[in-house]
Amino acid sequence: GVFFNVILYIYHFHQKNGFACMMLSEFFELVQFLFVVTFTTFLFNCVEYDILFANKAVNHTTHNLGPLDRSKVTLPDAILPSQQCTEKIQENGWIIFLLIMAAIFWLYRLIKVFCNILSYWEIRQFYIKALKITMDELCNHTWQEVQDRLISLQREQQMCIHKKELTELDIYHRILRFKNYMVAMVNKSLLPIRFSMPLLGDVVFYTRGLKYNFELIFFWGPGSLFENEWSLKPEYKRGGNRLELADKLSNRILWIGVANLLLCPVILIWQILYAFFSYTEVIKREPGSLGARCWSLFGRCYLRHFNELDHELMSRLSKGYKASSKYMNCFMSPLLTVVAKNVAFFAGSILAVLIALTIYDEDVLAVEHVLTSITLLGVCVTICRSFIPDKHMVFCPEQLLKVILAHIHYMPDHWQGNAHRYETRDEFSQLFQYKAVFILEELLSPVITPFILIFCLRRKSLEIIDFFRNFTVEVVGVGDTCSFAQMDVRQHGHPAWMSAGKTEASIYQQAEDGKTELSLMHFAITNPHWQPPRESTHFISQLKERVQREVATGQQVPLPDNHLFTSIQSIQSESEPHSLIANLLVGPPSLASLHLGRDGPVPNHASSMGSSDVASALRSLSPLSTSQHLRGSYTSTRLPRSDTAPPTGARAMAGSGTDARTASSGSSAWEGQMTSLVLSEYASTEMSIHALYIHELHQQQSRNDLSRHTWHRQESDESSESIPEDCEAPRTLPRSNTFPSTGTQRQEGAPLQPTGHRRYGGTTDALSGPPRPAPRAPRLPMGGWAEEAQAGRQHDTVPEEGSEDELPPQIHKVT
C-alpha cells in the first residue's frame, strides 16, 4: 500500500521536472503570496493618492533644488512615513483581520512546504538509487520509460507484498483514483454543474473552487467518504444504512457550504487581487488575449478518458486547439463585423492623430489623459479587429468538427451534420470557452459555490452514496477504485457503442457517450504491453477483424483523382502520423489510396468519409507495415504504402486471439527502431483514427435504427405493424446527457436506481426499497436508440430512465 501511495508522487516528480524545479516552485509560491498581501496592504494604507494625482500641491524646501524642481512630484513624496503608515493600519480592524487570516494560511503553507521537501527528497533518492535515473537525465526520460522501470523493479524486488506483478493499469489506478471517480460522476451527470438560467439558457459552471470543494467532500477532507488515500470507509460499502449516511453527508455538505459563505469575502478579495496582478500586464501588452480561448475545466473532465494521465490529456487537447479555434471563428456575426469595422475606423483615426502629435512634440504626452486615451484607443482597435474575420479564410464547419473529433474523441450525436448551427457552437463553447469567461467564472466562484453546495449538491446526497457503493471495487494491491476505471465492456459497456451482445450492463451501469469503449482503446494503444481482461480482449479483437474486413472491401473501390488530397499532403509540415489524419479528413478520396497508390488516372467520384476509409487508415498504421515504411525514410511526408508490408502485417492487425499489443502501434520489432516519443506520436494518431472509426460505426448504427424505427413508421402503416410498440424511437435526433435538449421533458425527484449488481456483497434491490417503477418516456443517451426486438438477440434494450442527476438543477454550475 505504501509503495502504491508513492507512485503518485513519482509521477508528479517526473512531470514537474525534478527536485530543484519543484522546490523552486514551492518557494516562489510562498514569496508570491507574501508579496501580494504586503503590496496590497501598502497600496491601501501607505500611499497618499492626492499628491500622486496632483490634487495636492507639494513644495520642496531644499535649497539645492531650483524653482521648477521644488514643485515636481516624486514617488517618495506620495509615500507616507512608516510610523504614519503603521498607525493607519492599526486603526483599521478589517485590515487587521485579513492580515491575521493571511498569516495563518501562509504559516500553514510553510509547514506544508517543509513536509513536501522531505517527501520530494525521498522520491529523488528513489529515482537515483532504485530507478537508476539521475536528476540531470530525468528530462530525457518519458513517463512510459519510468513506468517500465517501475514494473521491472516490482518484478525484481517485490516492493508491494500484496501483488507479485505490477501492471500499467495498477499504476494508472493509483495515480488517477480520485480523478476517475470525478470523470465517472460527470459522465453519469451526477454532479450539479449544469443550470437552466432564465435569459442565458443552459449554463455550465464548473470552476477550480467548486472542484476543490467536491474533492474536499468526497475524498480527502475531514469526514470524507474515504478513510485514507486508497480505501473507502466500510460503512459506505454497505447498503443497509444508506439513508442515514445520506443524511450525514447532507449535513456535512451544509456545513462546508456555510464555511464557504463565511469565507466568501476573504476568498473573493484574494481572487480579485490575484487576477489583477496576473492579467493586467498581459491585457495591456496583448489586449486580444481575452478573446483567446481555452479548454474549460468542464471540457477537460468531459473529454477525459478513464485512466488518462494529465500530460496525455493536455497533449491530446492541445493538438485539437487550432482546429477548435478555427471552428469557433466560423461564427462571426455579420452585424457585429460591420459595427467592429466602423468602430475600429473611428478609434484608429483618433489614435493616429494622437500618435502623430506625440511624434511631432513629446510634450503632448504631458497633457492630462492623453496617454490614457492612446492606451484605451489601442485596446479598442485590437478588440474590434478580433471580431473581423480574415477575408481570405474559407471555413468548412463540418470538416473542422471532424478534425476536432479526431483529437478530442468525444462529441454528441446531434452535432453531426449540424456543425453550422449556432446551437452546436454554443454547446461546444461550454467545452472551449473564452479566456475572459474563464477569468470571470473564477472571480464569481467564491460567491456562487456556497449556494451550489447548500441548495444543489445536498439534494443529491443519496445518489452520491449509492454511486460510491455500487461503483467501487477493491483491487488487490491497489485499494478501492472506481469500477468504471476497470474499462470492463461487460460491466459498463453501451450497446450503441459496439458493445451490443458483449455487455450485461443496465442503463444505470452503462457509461455514456462511449466512454468505456473509447477509454479501453486509448489505454490499450497507449500501453501496448498491457494484458486486458478476456471480455475487453474480445472487444478489441472484434474491432480489428471488422477493420480488416472493411479494408478488404474498401480496396475494391476506385481511387478518385482528388487534387485537394494531393495539395494537403504536399503542404503538410507535421510528422507523418498527423499527415495521415489530414489526408483522412480531406473528405472525398477513399483511403484505399493508402495502399493502392496513385498509379495512373482513375475515375473521379464523390463520396463521404466512411468507416471503410477509416479502416484503411487504421490498417496502414499496423506495427509491421509502418516499421517497414519507416526504415526507408522517417522524415518523408509520404503515406505508408501497403506494398512495403508483408502479409503478416495485416494478420497482426486482424488476429483475434492476440493480446492488446496487437491493437496498438507498439510491437517489439517497431520499438527497437524508433524512440518512445515517435511511438507516442503514432499511438496518438492511431487513437485519433480509432475514435473516428468508432464514431462512424456508431453513427451508421444510429442512422439504421432511425430509418428502421422512425422513417418506415412514417411512410406506411404496414411497416408500422412490423415494429413493436415498445421499440418506437423518438422523431428527433437523440440528445446527449451532457448536452440535453432544451425542449426535453425533465422530471425532478427521480434518483438513479441502483441495479442488482453490487461489488461488496448483497443485492441493491434488497436495500433500495420497493421495486423499480415502470420506465417513463425514454430519455436516450448520446447515440442511444431504442433497439428493434429481434430474434436471437442476447440482450434486449431496456428503455432509458430519466433521473434527477441526469437533469440540470434549477440553478447550476460546472470542470
Side-chain angles (χ1 to χ4, degrees):
V2 176
F3 172 64
F4 281 94
N5 190 37
V6 171
I7 291 179
L8 177 61
Y9 295 100
I10 294 175
Y11 174 72
H12 288 161
F13 192 91
H14 176 270
Q15 293 300 305
K16 295 181 180 179
N17 302 306
F19 182 80
C21 291
M22 296 180 76
M23 288 301 96
L24 202 60
S25 298
E26 296 269 11
F27 171 76
F28 277 114
E29 283 183 11
L30 289 175
V31 173
Q32 189 181 79
F33 181 84
L34 199 61
F35 171 78
V36 170
V37 173
T38 305
F39 189 53
T40 303
T41 305
F42 170 80
L43 292 177
F44 275 97
N45 297 278
C46 301
V47 177
E48 193 168 356
Y49 290 97
D50 286 337
I51 294 178
L52 191 64
F53 297 148
N55 296 328
K56 182 178 179 181
V58 175
N59 186 18
H60 298 276
T61 58
T62 305
H63 299 291
N64 297 332
L65 298 178
L68 295 178
D69 293 334
R70 290 180 183 178
S71 60
K72 191 173 183 179
V73 178
T74 61
L75 282 178
D77 296 331
I79 298 177
L80 297 176
S82 58
Q83 183 177 359
Q84 187 177 352
C85 180
T86 304
E87 292 176 355
K88 192 173 181 180
I89 293 175
Q90 292 175 348
E91 292 173 358
N92 193 328
W94 178 243
I95 294 293
I96 295 295
F97 171 75
L98 292 179
L99 289 176
I100 292 175
M101 295 292 295
I104 294 174
F105 179 78
W106 191 83
L107 290 175
Y108 164 76
R109 287 287 303 149
L110 182 63
I111 295 173
K112 192 173 181 181
V113 166
F114 279 121
C115 295
N116 289 341
I117 290 176
L118 300 177
S119 300
Y120 295 151
W121 182 259
E122 293 178 357
I123 299 301
R124 179 183 182 274
Q125 297 301 109
F126 181 83
Y127 265 92
I128 295 174
K129 296 180 179 180
L131 299 181
K132 309 299 182 185
I133 300 176
T134 64
M135 295 300 98
D136 293 335
E137 298 174 349
L138 181 62
C139 295
N140 299 328
H141 289 76
T142 65
W143 171 249
Q144 291 296 328
E145 294 170 341
V146 175
Q147 181 175 273
D148 291 340
R149 295 199 183 194
L150 282 172
I151 295 174
S152 300
L153 190 64
Q154 167 66 14
R155 191 179 298 114
E156 295 170 1
Q157 301 185 13
Q158 291 292 303
M159 291 179 295
C160 176
I161 60 176
H162 300 288
K163 202 166 189 178
K164 182 177 180 180
E165 292 287 339
L166 178 65
T167 67
E168 293 86 350
L169 188 59
D170 294 334
I171 294 176
Y172 276 67
H173 277 168
R174 183 57 197 93
I175 298 173
L176 300 168
R177 186 192 313 275
F178 297 151
K179 290 183 180 179
N180 281 328
Y181 275 109
M182 295 297 292
V183 171
M185 285 190 281
V186 169
N187 180 259
K188 297 298 290 183
S189 302
L190 183 60
L191 297 178
I193 52 180
R194 184 178 294 275
F195 303 89
S196 182
M197 306 298 290
L199 299 177
L200 302 177
D202 285 341
V203 176
V204 171
F205 190 81
Y206 189 55
T207 62
R208 288 179 294 189
L210 185 60
K211 177 176 176 285
Y212 177 87
N213 278 276
F214 285 158
E215 294 175 350
L216 177 72
I217 293 169
F218 300 146
F219 304 125
W220 53 267
S224 64
L225 279 61
F226 279 73
E227 60 182 355
N228 48 48
E229 293 186 8
W230 60 85
S231 179
L232 189 69
K233 290 180 179 178
E235 57 265 29
Y236 292 100
K237 301 176 182 179
R238 301 185 295 267
N241 57 343
R242 55 193 290 268
L243 297 178
E244 178 184 348
L245 293 174
D247 290 338
K248 181 179 177 182
L249 178 62
S250 177
N251 292 332
R252 183 165 176 270
I253 294 172
L254 175 62
W255 284 111
I256 292 180
V258 171
N260 273 269
L261 198 60
L262 295 177
L263 293 175
C264 173
V266 179
I267 300 175
L268 181 61
I269 291 174
W270 169 256
Q271 292 277 62
I272 293 174
L273 291 175
Y274 188 81
F276 176 78
F277 290 134
S278 299
Y279 298 113
T280 302
E281 187 274 334
V282 177
I283 294 173
K284 179 183 180 301
R285 176 167 38 89
E286 299 178 12
S289 60
L290 291 179
R293 291 184 175 269
C294 61
W295 295 102
S296 67
L297 204 58
F298 166 70
R300 277 177 265 173
C301 193
Y302 169 71
L303 299 175
R304 189 173 198 148
H305 294 296
F306 293 122
N307 302 309
E308 184 174 21
L309 295 173
D310 292 344
H311 73 279
E312 296 171 350
L313 173 67
M314 295 315 299
S315 174
R316 182 163 60 87
L317 296 183
S318 296
K319 292 174 183 176
Y321 182 89
K322 185 180 294 185
S324 300
S325 297
K326 289 182 178 179
Y327 173 74
M328 297 303 291
N329 290 336
C330 292
F331 294 89
M332 292 291 184
S333 170
L335 182 62
L336 190 59
T337 299
V338 173
V339 174
K341 286 181 179 179
N342 286 274
V343 172
F345 172 78
F346 296 130
S349 301
I350 301 174
L351 178 62
V353 172
L354 292 177
I355 292 176
L357 291 175
T358 303
I359 294 174
Y360 178 75
D361 188 351
E362 63 179 10
D363 290 337
V364 175
L365 292 175
V367 178
E368 189 175 12
H369 301 311
V370 168
L371 187 59
T372 303
S373 301
I374 292 176
T375 302
L376 293 179
L377 288 170
V379 171
C380 180
V381 171
T382 304
I383 293 175
C384 288
R385 285 178 179 172
S386 66
F387 291 100
I388 303 174
D390 185 356
K391 61 182 179 181
H392 301 293
M393 186 69 69
V394 177
F395 295 110
C396 304
E398 290 292 344
Q399 184 174 331
L400 283 173
L401 207 57
K402 190 70 70 174
V403 176
I404 294 170
L405 176 60
H407 295 294
I408 68 175
H409 300 170
Y410 294 98
M411 186 173 294
D413 286 347
H414 58 271
W415 289 7
Q416 301 287 344
N418 294 304
H420 61 285
R421 298 180 64 88
Y422 274 88
E423 292 84 352
T424 304
R425 181 258 185 202
D426 292 340
E427 290 180 358
F428 185 69
S429 67
Q430 295 174 356
L431 308 178
F432 195 61
Q433 62 183 176
Y434 281 115
K435 185 70 173 179
V437 175
F438 170 80
I439 297 173
L440 180 62
E441 287 182 351
E442 291 297 331
L443 292 178
L444 294 177
S445 179
V447 179
I448 299 178
T449 295
F451 297 99
I452 293 177
L453 298 178
I454 295 173
F455 298 106
C456 299
L457 187 62
R458 288 182 64 214
R459 294 185 303 177
K460 293 179 174 290
S461 297
L462 183 59
E463 297 158 57
I464 293 171
I465 295 296
D466 289 339
F467 177 88
F468 277 92
R469 184 183 72 254
N470 292 321
F471 298 124
T472 297
V473 294
E474 184 175 0
V475 180
V476 177
V478 178
D480 293 334
T481 62
C482 181
S483 62
F484 286 99
Q486 298 293 320
M487 301 175 296
D488 189 342
V489 174
R490 183 174 60 88
Q491 293 291 340
H492 297 297
H494 200 295
W497 291 87
M498 300 181 61
S499 294
K502 294 184 283 292
T503 180
E504 301 173 359
S506 65
I507 299 296
Y508 178 64
Q509 294 172 314
Q510 292 170 0
E512 306 297 335
D513 310 333
K515 182 75 77 174
T516 300
E517 293 77 8
L518 287 167
S519 297
L520 173 62
M521 292 306 305
H522 177 267
F523 193 83
I525 290 172
T526 306
N527 300 275
H529 300 295
W530 175 61
Q531 300 289 338
R534 182 180 61 182
E535 294 80 5
S536 300
T537 303
H538 185 58
F539 172 84
I540 295 172
S541 299
Q542 283 192 341
L543 177 62
K544 290 184 295 179
E545 290 173 358
R546 184 162 186 172
V547 167
Q548 195 62 32
R549 288 197 306 268
E550 296 196 5
V551 168
T553 304
Q555 288 179 343
Q556 310 289 331
V557 181
L559 172 69
D561 186 12
N562 188 287
H563 299 287
L564 181 59
F565 179 89
T566 307
S567 300
I568 288 191
Q569 181 176 349
S570 63
I571 66 175
Q572 182 66 268
S573 60
E574 294 185 87
S575 60
E576 190 171 294
H578 298 293
S579 297
L580 182 58
I581 293 183
N583 291 326
L584 173 66
L585 297 173
V586 166
S590 169
L591 284 190
S593 61
L594 299 178
H595 308 281
L596 297 179
R598 299 183 59 85
D599 302 328
V602 288
N604 191 7
H605 72 281
S607 62
S608 60
M609 186 191 72
S611 59
S612 63
D613 296 330
V614 189
S616 298
L618 284 173
R619 183 176 181 269
S620 70
L621 277 177
S622 63
L624 293 178
S625 63
T626 311
S627 63
Q628 293 279 347
H629 173 73
L630 290 175
R631 288 175 184 172
S633 173
Y634 169 68
T635 57
S636 170
T637 56
R638 294 181 59 192
L639 293 174
R641 298 168 61 97
S642 63
D643 54 10
T644 63
T648 54
R651 289 197 298 270
M653 285 299 294
S656 59
T658 56
D659 58 20
R661 181 179 313 182
T662 58
S664 70
S665 52
S667 69
S668 58
W670 201 27
E671 288 175 352
Q673 302 181 30
M674 293 180 296
T675 66
S676 59
L677 289 177
V678 177
L679 286 171
S680 176
E681 286 301 311
Y682 272 85
S684 174
T685 302
E686 184 178 353
M687 181 58 211
S688 295
I689 303 178
H690 266 103
L692 292 173
Y693 182 67
I694 293 175
H695 273 272
E696 180 64 26
L697 294 178
H698 171 67
Q699 286 294 316
Q700 288 180 2
Q701 178 181 342
S702 300
R703 286 192 294 267
N704 292 338
D705 291 344
L706 181 63
S707 176
R708 183 167 64 250
H709 301 315
T710 304
W711 297 340
H712 291 182
R713 174 181 292 273
Q714 294 175 356
E715 288 176 0
S716 66
D717 295 336
E718 294 180 0
S719 61
S720 170
E721 295 172 358
S722 64
I723 302 176
E725 289 295 327
D726 58 352
C727 295
E728 182 177 357
R731 295 178 182 266
T732 58
L733 287 175
R735 303 288 293 194
S736 164
N737 284 337
T738 310
F739 297 96
S741 172
T742 54
T744 305
Q745 288 259 343
R746 297 173 180 175
Q747 292 179 293
E748 296 291 336
L752 282 174
Q753 298 294 328
T755 63
H757 182 73
R758 265 190 67 183
R759 304 296 195 273
Y760 287 97
T763 58
T764 337
D765 294 338
L767 304 172
S768 304
R772 186 179 302 174
R776 294 164 288 186
R779 186 173 183 273
L780 298 177
M782 181 192 306
W785 295 90
E787 296 287 341
E788 179 181 3
Q790 299 178 10
R793 287 292 297 268
Q794 295 182 3
H795 300 280
D796 295 332
T797 302
V798 183
E800 177 115 13
E801 292 187 0
S803 63
E804 180 182 358
D805 42 63
E806 292 177 337
L807 307 179
Q810 297 300 322
I811 305 175
H812 206 92
K813 162 186 179 181
V814 93
T815 103

